[in-house]
Amino acid sequence: MSSNERPMASDRESYPEKGQISAEALDERRRAALAEIDQAPFSWFHIKVCLVAGVGFFTDAYDIFAINIAASMLGYVYGKGGSLTSWQSTGVKAATPVGNLFGQIIFGWLADVVGRKRMYGVELMIMIIATFGQALSGQAPAVGIIGVLIVWRFIMGVGIGGDYPLSAIISSEFAATKSRGRLMTAVFAFQGWGQFAAAIIGIIVVEAYKKEILASSFPAAKPIDHAWRILIGLGCVPGLIALYFRLTIPETPRFTMDVERNVAQASRDIENVLTSGKYIVDEDGPIQRVEAPKASRSDFAAYFSQWKNLKVIIGTAYSWFALDIAFYGLGLNSSIILTAINFGNPHVTKGTSQYVYENLKNICIGNLILSVAGLIPGYWVSFLFIDSWGRKPIQLMGFIVLTILFVVMGFAYDKLTATTEGTNAFVFLYCLTNFFQNFGPNTTTFVVPGEAFPTRYRSTAHGISAASGKLGAVVAQLGFGQLVNIGGTNKFVKHIMQIFAFFMLTGIFSTLLIPETKQKSLEDLSNESQEGYITGAGVTR
């Protein structure tokens, strides 16, 4: 039976609410309900889902990448000689990706066990508390502030990590088939605005304290101590705005149908959500738990022991790992790279308050340029093409172009950075890598795991894939921090670019393992037959 011939879930008279309903009728009802979601016109409810999920990613990116600016500020206040040691810098930058890894696995699993709605908002509360805790951190004889910040940033990372699978799955399970890629990409694209906002706030804060910095003796610790706390602390604001909406978002009908196995409730939810945007639960209504595939260790092993399913999670996990080696290697260290190539370095005496002000301003401006010239455009070009070109071609093209760019930046590094024109060319190539990361695997590695697995494992699999990416981010940060000064200050940057090129090359091959998901229903992508998915009617109570 084609999707156009399926009865609509709103045809309630053919499905009595009381008494026993046959498995065949329930199976047909489930497929009709799914077709109604997949064919739903774009509505205000979809915009609401996009905004509520997107604000979380805005906050994620702001909190993660603000440390790129704040680390330099911390160095002037708490470092020796005006900078943090390599281990201190690595600690405050890597703590969040380590927390992400745990949050993605834990929240990904919990969202499949207890529900998307029950967990949505919990991760945001963790982020808000941890961000506020960072802004209030202090130094004491028994504990250093860098250690305290590492702990808080780890906790914040757990919350940010939880946001990945939850936002991805909620947006994919509510989206219509024809626009699912664009909706998920629009949610993820808020990351670019978060990075942009971090750079803008950095500039504003530095300018606000300009007089105090210039009037202070080197390294102007007091005004800069105020500045970094404001920069980090403002990350609470968008999270607080979005919290209420996250706590009140409906449960996805797919979870209600396929995990809670309550087809009747899911059918009512679809009708309510798609027409009024409201979520109504009848506590006294009849519940009929149908018999259908149920998540368990043995079922998980049986599903992923099949190569057709195993290769997909290998492909999504490794592609994200390879991508994040470069994405976070660059994103968390852009100030170091720009300093290494002498781009925007202050032309004043080092070790003066004037130098401190100029250096902080240039770091913020450099991050702003990278956001506007590469990161933000890349997200929105992906938005335009992801449902027409498809996920797989965009990811493959991105990895190929990134391999070429990193090869040029790595092997021609000395020649490029020897002159002012060459340095400008290097920055242009750097912006292109940001562009093709986002118009490429950074977007698709987020989208595909949210589509390619059955409902009962969708969030878990997305969490595993995302955690693999954050493992890459941790490896990149630890490696970058310890390798960059081999042979002299920032002398190893060119070889780091060459290492990034190798991982982009491996991403090409892992991309071949993933399916093309455009214009296909989530159920078709699950590699499970939908005819006879419900095997028994269960008991009505």
Side-chain angles (χ1 to χ4, degrees), residues 320-340:
W320 209 330
F321 173 85
L323 179 276
D324 274 5
I325 289 279
F327 184 75
Y328 282 90
L330 292 179
L332 293 179
N333 298 287
S334 57
S335 59
I336 294 175
I337 295 171
L338 293 175
T339 299

Side-chain angles (χ1 to χ4, degrees), residues 69-91:
I69 300 168
S72 297
M73 296 180 176
L74 289 167
Y76 287 124
V77 182
Y78 301 104
K80 293 181 179 179
S83 63
L84 299 178
T85 67
S86 62
W87 277 114
Q88 287 175 326
S89 178
T90 299

Side-chain angles (χ1 to χ4, degrees), residues 430-485:
Y430 194 173
C431 290
L432 279 183
T433 61
N434 286 330
F435 177 82
F436 282 104
Q437 282 174 335
N438 290 339
F439 180 37
N442 189 42
T443 299
T444 55
T445 52
F446 171 79
V447 172
V448 174
E451 303 175 303
F453 303 99
T455 301
R456 63 190 185 278
Y457 299 127
R458 188 170 293 125
S459 185
T460 301
H462 193 284
I464 292 171
S465 301
S468 178
K470 291 306 166 286
L471 178 61
V474 173
V475 169
Q477 190 53 49
L478 289 174
F480 196 106
Q482 301 313 305
L483 294 175
V484 68
N485 293 323

Side-chain angles (χ1 to χ4, degrees), residues 224-356:
I224 295 175
D225 198 34
H226 292 165
W228 76 262
R229 292 176 190 278
I230 294 172
L231 174 64
I232 294 294
L234 284 175
C236 293
V237 176
L240 287 169
I241 294 171
L243 184 58
Y244 168 78
F245 298 100
R246 288 209 166 185
L247 294 173
T248 57
I249 204 163
E251 182 57 87
T252 70
R254 281 183 161 95
F255 179 86
T256 304
M257 261 192 297
D258 290 355
V259 179
E260 294 185 333
R261 294 169 291 130
N262 188 347
V263 177
Q265 179 65 53
S267 298
R268 288 193 294 270
D269 293 345
I270 293 167
E271 185 176 83
N272 291 326
V273 168
L274 294 181
T275 55
S276 66
K278 296 181 178 179
Y279 179 61
I280 302 170
V281 177
D282 183 3
E283 299 291 347
D284 299 321
I287 299 174
Q288 185 175 13
R289 305 289 188 195
V290 301
E291 295 176 12
K294 186 177 180 181
S296 65
R297 288 183 182 180
S298 58
D299 182 73
F300 184 90
Y303 180 82
F304 285 104
S305 64
Q306 301 176 61
W307 174 244
K308 65 179 181 179
N309 301 322
L310 180 62
K311 71 176 183 179
V312 176
I313 198 167
I314 292 174
T316 58
Y318 184 81
S319 295
W320 209 330
F321 173 85
L323 179 276
D324 274 5
I325 289 279
F327 184 75
Y328 282 90
L330 292 179
L332 293 179
N333 298 287
S334 57
S335 59
I336 294 175
I337 295 171
L338 293 175
T339 299
I341 64 174
N342 294 315
F343 181 80
N345 278 359
H347 298 293
V348 295
T349 305
K350 197 169 184 178
T352 64
S353 294
Q354 181 70 34
Y355 179 89
V356 171

Side-chain angles (χ1 to χ4, degrees), residues 372-499:
V372 173
L375 291 168
I376 293 173
Y379 284 118
W380 292 103
V381 174
S382 283
F383 174 85
L384 292 175
F385 290 103
I386 197 162
D387 279 321
S388 55
W389 282 17
R391 290 62 154 157
K392 194 169 183 175
I394 290 175
Q395 182 165 312
L396 197 59
M397 176 271 297
F399 272 128
I400 291 171
V401 174
L402 287 169
T403 301
I404 295 169
L405 289 172
F406 280 119
V407 165
V408 173
M409 292 167 70
F411 288 96
Y413 179 85
D414 291 331
K415 195 169 184 179
L416 285 171
T417 57
T419 63
T420 301
E421 293 78 10
T423 298
N424 292 335
F426 185 93
V427 173
F428 174 72
L429 293 174
Y430 194 173
C431 290
L432 279 183
T433 61
N434 286 330
F435 177 82
F436 282 104
Q437 282 174 335
N438 290 339
F439 180 37
N442 189 42
T443 299
T444 55
T445 52
F446 171 79
V447 172
V448 174
E451 303 175 303
F453 303 99
T455 301
R456 63 190 185 278
Y457 299 127
R458 188 170 293 125
S459 185
T460 301
H462 193 284
I464 292 171
S465 301
S468 178
K470 291 306 166 286
L471 178 61
V474 173
V475 169
Q477 190 53 49
L478 289 174
F480 196 106
Q482 301 313 305
L483 294 175
V484 68
N485 293 323
I486 292 177
T489 303
N490 299 331
K491 294 297 184 182
F492 206 74
V493 168
K494 64 179 178 181
H495 298 301
I496 290 174
M497 297 295 168
Q498 295 163 9
I499 292 169

Side-chain angles (χ1 to χ4, degrees), residues 3 6-10 12 29-43 45-46 49 169-180 183 251-258 263 265-275 455 458 520-523:
S3 59
R6 293 172 183 166
M8 298 300 286
S10 55
R12 304 301 173 203
R29 185 175 189 177
R30 173 181 176 272
R31 286 183 281 116
L34 292 170
E36 194 166 347
I37 300 173
D38 289 340
Q39 297 167 13
F42 193 76
S43 66
F45 177 74
H46 293 108
V49 170
I169 302 312
I170 285 174
S171 56
S172 74
E173 291 185 349
F174 274 123
T177 301
K178 65 181 180 181
S179 59
R180 188 177 61 237
L183 182 64
E251 182 57 87
T252 70
R254 281 183 161 95
F255 179 86
T256 304
M257 261 192 297
D258 290 355
V263 177
Q265 179 65 53
S267 298
R268 288 193 294 270
D269 293 345
I270 293 167
E271 185 176 83
N272 291 326
V273 168
L274 294 181
T275 55
T455 301
R458 188 170 293 125
K520 294 181 180 179
S521 74
L522 298 180
E523 285 63 43

